[in-house]
Amino acid sequence: MVNSTTGVQTGPRQRMRNNKGADDMLSLRDILDIFLANWKWFLLSAIVCVVLARVYLASQLFVFQRQAVMLVKDDASGTTGRRSAISTDALMQLNGVLAGTSVKNEVYILHSFQLSQEVARNLHLDVLYNYREHLRNHSLYNERPVTVDFLQPFLAPVTFKLDIKSARECHIHDVKMGKPLAVSSYTADVRVGEMLQTPFGKVVISPKDGNMKDFIGKTISVTRISIDDAAIMIMNKCTSGEIDKESTLVRITCTDTNIERADDILSGLLDAYKQSIIEDKNQMAQSTAAFIDSRIQLIHQELSEVEGKMAEFKQNSGLVDIQANAENFLTQSTTARQRTIQSEMQYSMVQYLVDYLAENSKGHNLIPTMGGISDNGIQTQIARYNEMMLSRNRLAENTSENSPTIKELDSNLSQMHSTVLASLKGYATSLKLQLDKAKAEENGILGTISTVPQKEKQVIDITRQQTIKETLYTFLLNKREETALQLAITEANIRIVEHPFGSTSPVGPRTKVITLFALLIGLAVPFTFFLFKERLNMGVRGRKDIETNTTIPVLGEIPHRKSDISDSDIIVSAHSDDVMGEAFRLLRFNTTFINKDARVIMFTSTMPGEGKTFISRNFAASLGMAGKKVVLVDTDIRKRTQSKLSSKGRSQGLTSYLSGAVDDVTSLVVRLDSACNLDMLPAGITPPNPSELLMSDRLDQCMEELKKHYDYIIVDNVPAQVVADAGIVNRIADLTIYVIREGKVDRRYLPELERLHQEGKFNHLTIVLNDCTSRNKKYGYGYGYANDEKNKSWRDKLFGR
């Protein structure tokens, strides 16, 4: 148990088992104690780190974020939702073709290297301008003072400084060029607007919109990179993606150090993207136009042949008015003839497409869109095939033919090609049956006309062929005009919902986050240092270490003494009320709880220098001040430290009595301090056999004789781990006080001390912790109660100690 009044620990072994491992645990209180004990270092570190963070922030470019939003519209219906796209994808899946999300493809194309190259080329982003003011670089764009035009193709990166001397003259210096950049000694003065031949090519420096006067006397940095590097820079600055899964809205974001440049990059990407879509549509129309032109030439030739046959037939037969001769026949066969013409025209168109697909089965050409096909399903398939082919060709421009995306699209296109071809063949078979049926009906009517001359029948056949060719020719001419109109349309299937916009406040560097991070580092660095230092300290750090590793009662704690107090000083007095004096009074009071009948109290330690001489002397003085008769016995007959400090041990002493030279021990006692009623028995002359003398019965007789004259006998013994004298003398002790100096004894020795305690090697073993400091107070429970209200620190008041 722990006595709440005295602070003496008398707990059983169970307490030590419960505290095992507590030394390695770091509680919140331990952390707070580290901060409070070293608050000046924490404050200094935090200030330094925050200042460094502010310097870092002052040297960083401001970063701004701008964005734009566009809407991808569906070509077929002009709607803005996903319903039509989903329906088309479902139709393709029913036909066995896997379809991807078209908006995702457009997002990829929008962020492609090809478009970034075009934007970099249009905005001349291969030449960068920077201006340094104080610690921070500023990226210049439209506000730059000059424009540097490089008149020769790019060969290697180059950077140089440009001093603006006046509105008409500049100075080039600090030139670096090549890969990697190498310093060049080239310098030159150049007049604005004149061409200059330099090691990195011909350049012309032109003023920019009247901005030059604001930079006179200042220096700007000019850097030239390749268009490819500029495109990569744009790709790194920009991101794009769908706003959500249920719409075709696409957000494009650009992060740059210049707001105007970010807006221009976004606008440039949107314009380039729109232009690429228009070019794709024109490509489809051009493919259709080429197909129609070839068909027109063929039909024109066939029509000419039919008309030639008609002229030749009329000339040979002598028939002039064929219509009059065939009036009755035409009246009966008009309906059948019209059906035949329509069926044959549709069949011809479908057969043309079948032949075209068969000839171009492995190419990447578009299927001509012909309006003569009345089957809406086939028209939808052809339109979807052309759309996927365009998407595939666009993606192929930005990636290799062996990429997984291209291979997947080629597989889908091949399946769709087969599907469309099969549908056309099936449709052609159906039309062929309709045509045969129409011809059969027409032939049946003609067979009934026996009065019509055979020549007139031939005329009707030729006329029918001529009508079919003329109808098909007219249809193709109309389609050519429609295709020409489509080529003239320059509208893309996107709409700009939000032009480039965004906050003018920078999004980086993140000042608050970096400052907070620097503050945390400023606190973490000293905390880590002091914690690591504490972990490396293997000495006994305080009362907590003793109680964790032993069950030995802690009798008291002696605070750190000032440097002007020596081991020979007796600092205890009747009127002293300092912490040191109060600690010895508390030590005197606590001995009664260990063994109230103890009269012989022995002091020992682990090794020399732990303060047992100082403590034993002042402890004896505190007993004397309490009105007790006390004698201090120096049993360290080897070193005689106590006797030397008192200048009392140069002649006779304890060794004289132990050796038998003197029989009256009281004659050897000398007065040490009259104010404290304290006597002393010096050690005497160092004998050649100290252990044997201490083992003799004369030591026991000495103690019995001293008990007759004194209330307490304080024995200042040798260190226990140096020689065996401590164990020999301990037989006469009623109470053993083991002095441990804080930080001197390795705390790994404490389990060994616990073993000695459990084996009873020392009588009523207790511990006094010496040289306790405030920095290790977290390992103890405080000491002293003198002037409690006056001497308590603000930290003790905070925790109510």
Side-chain angles (χ1 to χ4, degrees):
M1 297 178 63
V2 178
N3 188 293
S4 61
T5 303
T6 63
V8 178
Q9 177 71 33
T10 58
R13 179 183 291 270
Q14 182 64 33
R15 173 182 56 78
M16 186 181 71
R17 289 197 297 265
N18 292 338
N19 289 333
K20 282 297 183 182
D23 184 55
D24 296 326
M25 297 176 63
L26 196 63
S27 66
L28 182 62
R29 176 61 186 276
D30 294 334
I31 296 175
L32 185 59
D33 281 334
I34 292 177
F35 275 95
L36 294 177
N38 306 280
W39 67 271
K40 292 182 180 179
W41 288 106
F42 282 96
L43 179 60
L44 177 62
S45 177
I47 292 175
V48 170
C49 289
V50 170
V51 169
L52 291 177
R54 301 302 295 185
V55 172
Y56 168 78
L57 290 171
S59 65
Q60 297 301 301
L61 289 171
F62 288 127
V63 178
F64 305 90
Q65 189 176 81
R66 310 289 286 180
Q67 58 182 339
V69 180
M70 75 173 188
L71 176 66
V72 180
K73 297 185 290 186
D74 182 56
D75 280 334
S77 61
T79 58
T80 58
R82 276 186 178 268
R83 186 182 300 275
S84 59
I86 294 175
S87 300
T88 305
D89 291 344
L91 179 62
M92 292 184 63
Q93 291 177 3
L94 288 175
N95 290 326
V97 180
L98 297 177
T101 302
S102 60
V103 177
K104 291 184 179 180
N105 293 337
E106 302 307 315
V107 168
Y108 175 81
I109 294 172
L110 189 63
H111 196 245
S112 63
F113 181 73
Q114 181 182 2
L115 288 185
S116 299
Q117 272 187 320
E118 186 173 349
V119 173
R121 191 176 292 106
N122 294 338
L123 298 179
H124 304 288
L125 296 182
D126 56 329
V127 182
L128 306 176
Y129 306 86
N130 291 283
Y131 166 63
R132 188 173 185 86
E133 185 176 16
H134 304 301
L135 295 177
R136 179 176 286 116
N137 278 322
H138 297 273
S139 180
L140 301 177
Y141 183 56
N142 287 333
E143 68 277 16
R144 64 183 182 270
V146 296
T147 298
V148 180
D149 295 319
F150 292 84
L151 304 182
Q152 293 179 333
F154 175 84
L155 297 177
V158 60
T159 179
F160 58 87
K161 298 292 180 61
L162 191 64
D163 295 340
I164 311 298
K165 291 187 174 181
S166 66
R168 299 295 300 168
E169 187 178 2
C170 301
H171 177 69
I172 295 176
H173 62 97
D174 288 351
V175 178
K176 298 178 183 179
M177 53 187 178
K179 286 188 177 181
L181 290 173
V183 178
S184 173
S185 60
Y186 174 81
T187 61
D189 291 325
V190 56
R191 294 189 63 82
V192 175
E194 294 182 358
M195 186 187 71
L196 177 67
Q197 181 66 46
T198 67
F200 44 86
K202 298 178 181 179
V203 297
V204 175
I205 300 177
S206 306
K208 180 70 169 62
D209 298 335
N211 295 336
M212 196 166 182
K213 60 181 180 180
D214 297 331
F215 286 85
I216 293 178
K218 298 180 180 179
T219 301
I220 65 171
S221 175
V222 181
T223 302
R224 187 192 189 190
I225 58 177
S226 66
I227 289 294
D228 290 347
D229 290 339
I232 294 174
M233 179 184 69
I234 292 176
M235 295 176 66
N236 292 333
K237 292 175 181 290
C238 298
T239 58
S240 56
E242 300 172 85
I243 290 183
D244 58 60
K245 300 296 183 181
E246 300 301 325
S247 70
T248 57
L249 291 171
V250 177
R251 180 188 289 114
I252 314 150
T253 303
C254 181
T255 303
D256 198 0
T257 55
N258 189 284
I259 294 179
E260 294 181 351
R261 181 167 59 194
D263 289 346
D264 286 351
I265 289 175
L266 291 176
S267 299
L269 283 174
L270 291 174
D271 292 341
Y273 177 69
K274 290 174 62 177
Q275 187 60 36
S276 68
I277 294 177
I278 293 172
E279 291 176 356
D280 287 343
K281 288 188 174 183
N282 289 340
Q283 183 181 357
M284 182 187 299
Q286 289 170 359
S287 177
T288 303
F291 173 77
I292 291 176
D293 288 339
S294 65
R295 293 296 97 188
I296 286 177
Q297 293 179 2
L298 180 61
I299 298 301
H300 182 271
Q301 182 179 357
E302 293 177 353
L303 184 58
S304 299
E305 292 176 358
V306 172
E307 291 175 346
K309 287 182 180 180
M310 176 62 75
E312 183 180 357
F313 178 78
K314 287 182 178 182
Q315 184 179 0
N316 294 334
S317 63
L319 295 175
V320 179
D321 190 2
I322 300 177
Q323 184 66 29
N325 295 334
E327 183 177 356
N328 293 332
F329 168 76
L330 291 176
T331 301
Q332 298 177 7
S333 63
T334 298
T335 304
R337 182 185 302 173
Q338 291 298 326
R339 287 197 299 268
T340 302
I341 290 172
Q342 289 293 330
S343 298
E344 189 160 351
M345 183 191 69
Q346 292 186 18
Y347 176 75
S348 298
M349 290 299 303
V350 172
Q351 193 61 43
Y352 287 155
L353 289 177
V354 170
D355 296 339
Y356 178 83
L357 290 177
E359 293 173 358
N360 297 275
S361 60
K362 295 185 179 180
H364 300 126
N365 299 323
L366 302 174
I367 301 175
T369 55
M370 305 297 293
I373 300 176
S374 59
D375 192 319
N376 293 331
I378 295 178
Q379 289 183 355
T380 301
Q381 290 180 350
I382 292 175
R384 188 59 181 166
Y385 177 88
N386 288 338
E387 182 181 354
M388 184 175 290
M389 180 61 73
L390 284 174
S391 178
R392 183 264 177 205
N393 291 338
R394 280 190 294 167
L395 291 174
E397 294 176 359
N398 296 284
T399 184
S400 65
E401 293 289 335
N402 295 324
S403 69
T405 302
I406 295 299
K407 289 184 177 180
E408 182 180 359
L409 286 174
D410 287 342
S411 176
N412 292 342
L413 287 169
S414 177
Q415 295 179 26
M416 283 196 67
H417 187 279
S418 301
T419 302
V420 173
L421 183 58
S423 298
L424 286 174
K425 287 182 178 181
Y427 186 55
T429 301
S430 175
L431 290 177
K432 186 64 170 63
L433 293 175
Q434 293 178 13
L435 179 60
D436 292 340
K437 183 178 180 181
K439 287 183 177 181
E441 291 178 357
E442 186 178 359
N443 290 334
I445 295 173
L446 293 176
T448 62
I449 305 175
S450 57
T451 61
V452 179
Q454 185 66 30
K455 289 184 179 180
E456 189 173 0
K457 293 172 62 177
Q458 293 179 4
V459 171
I460 294 173
D461 183 64
I462 295 174
T463 302
R464 183 178 65 247
Q465 294 293 329
Q466 183 179 5
T467 303
I468 292 173
K469 301 300 181 183
E470 287 177 349
T471 304
L472 184 58
Y473 187 75
T474 303
F475 173 79
L476 290 174
L477 288 176
N478 292 333
K479 283 298 178 183
R480 184 168 65 179
E481 292 301 320
E482 292 177 4
T483 304
L485 290 175
Q486 187 176 356
L487 282 171
I489 298 175
T490 59
E491 180 183 359
N493 62 329
I494 65 169
R495 180 167 68 90
I496 307 302
V497 179
E498 295 284 358
H499 290 277
F501 71 98
S503 174
T504 56
S505 300
V507 297
R510 303 176 67 181
T511 304
K512 293 182 179 179
V513 174
I514 293 176
T515 304
L516 178 60
F517 186 69
L519 178 61
L520 294 178
I521 292 179
L523 297 177
V525 169
F527 178 77
T528 304
F529 171 78
F530 288 118
L531 181 63
F532 187 67
K533 180 181 178 182
E534 198 67 53
R535 293 302 182 188
L536 289 180
N537 179 18
M538 299 307 299
V540 175
R541 299 167 295 184
R543 184 170 185 164
K544 183 179 178 182
D545 284 342
I546 298 173
E547 294 178 344
T548 299
N549 294 278
T550 71
T551 59
I552 304 172
V554 179
L555 200 61
E557 299 172 72
I558 306 301
H560 177 73
R561 56 180 169 173
K562 298 179 181 180
S563 58
D564 58 346
I565 299 177
S566 65
D567 289 343
S568 63
D569 292 340
I570 297 179
I571 53 92
V572 179
S573 64
H575 303 289
S576 65
D577 58 357
D578 60 355
V579 177
M580 183 74 76
E582 191 65 30
F584 280 102
R585 294 187 186 94
L586 182 63
L587 180 63
R588 178 188 65 194
F589 182 69
N590 288 340
T591 55
T592 61
F593 287 88
I594 302 300
N595 187 357
K596 64 179 181 179
D597 297 326
R599 296 182 62 189
V600 180
I601 302 175
M602 185 187 83
F603 282 83
T604 186
S605 62
T606 305
M607 60 186 68
E610 294 196 59
K612 64 178 179 59
T613 299
F614 174 77
I615 293 176
S616 62
R617 179 182 292 245
N618 281 273
F619 176 72
S622 68
L623 290 174
M625 288 174 53
K628 306 296 183 180
K629 294 188 64 176
V630 184
V631 60
L632 177 62
V633 180
D634 185 6
T635 58
D636 185 0
I637 59 178
R638 298 175 184 268
K639 295 182 64 176
R640 301 176 295 112
T641 304
Q642 194 73 257
S643 301
K644 291 178 181 178
L645 292 175
S646 305
S647 300
K648 306 291 185 180
R650 298 189 180 279
S651 55
Q652 293 183 330
L654 178 62
T655 56
S656 302
Y657 182 82
L658 296 178
S659 63
V662 177
D663 292 328
D664 185 7
V665 67
T666 58
S667 64
L668 301 174
V669 174
V670 296
R671 174 64 66 173
L672 182 61
D673 192 311
S674 300
C676 297
N677 194 24
L678 177 61
D679 293 340
M680 178 180 179
L681 176 59
I685 299 174
T686 303
N689 56 342
S691 297
E692 286 74 11
L693 285 179
L694 293 174
M695 292 175 63
S696 67
D697 295 336
R698 297 279 292 180
L699 178 62
D700 300 87
Q701 296 173 9
C702 176
M703 294 299 110
E704 292 299 327
E705 186 65 26
L706 291 175
K707 286 180 182 180
K708 297 177 182 180
H709 303 280
Y710 295 96
D711 298 318
Y712 288 97
I713 302 172
I714 307 303
V715 178
D716 183 14
N717 207 350
V718 297
Q721 297 300 315
V722 177
V723 292
D725 296 0
I728 296 173
V729 175
N730 187 253
R731 71 181 189 275
I732 53 92
D734 300 323
L735 179 67
T736 303
I737 298 179
Y738 201 99
V739 178
I740 296 179
R741 181 183 288 273
E742 184 181 279
K744 186 174 181 65
V745 177
D746 194 324
R747 61 177 177 271
R748 291 173 292 184
Y749 168 71
L750 294 177
E752 175 64 19
L753 186 61
E754 169 66 15
R755 184 185 64 81
L756 297 176
H757 172 59
Q758 296 298 326
E759 293 176 356
K761 298 295 184 181
F762 296 101
N763 296 329
H764 291 93
L765 180 63
T766 59
I767 292 177
V768 169
L769 187 61
N770 186 28
D771 200 22
C772 297
T773 57
S774 58
R775 63 183 176 86
N776 280 335
K777 198 170 181 180
K778 62 178 179 173
Y779 295 98
Y781 302 100
Y783 37 75
Y785 295 93
N787 288 341
D788 186 57
E789 293 299 326
K790 183 169 64 176
N791 293 328
K792 274 188 176 181
S793 66
W794 63 272
R795 182 174 61 180
D796 295 326
K797 295 178 181 178
L798 177 63
F799 296 107
R801 295 195 307 187

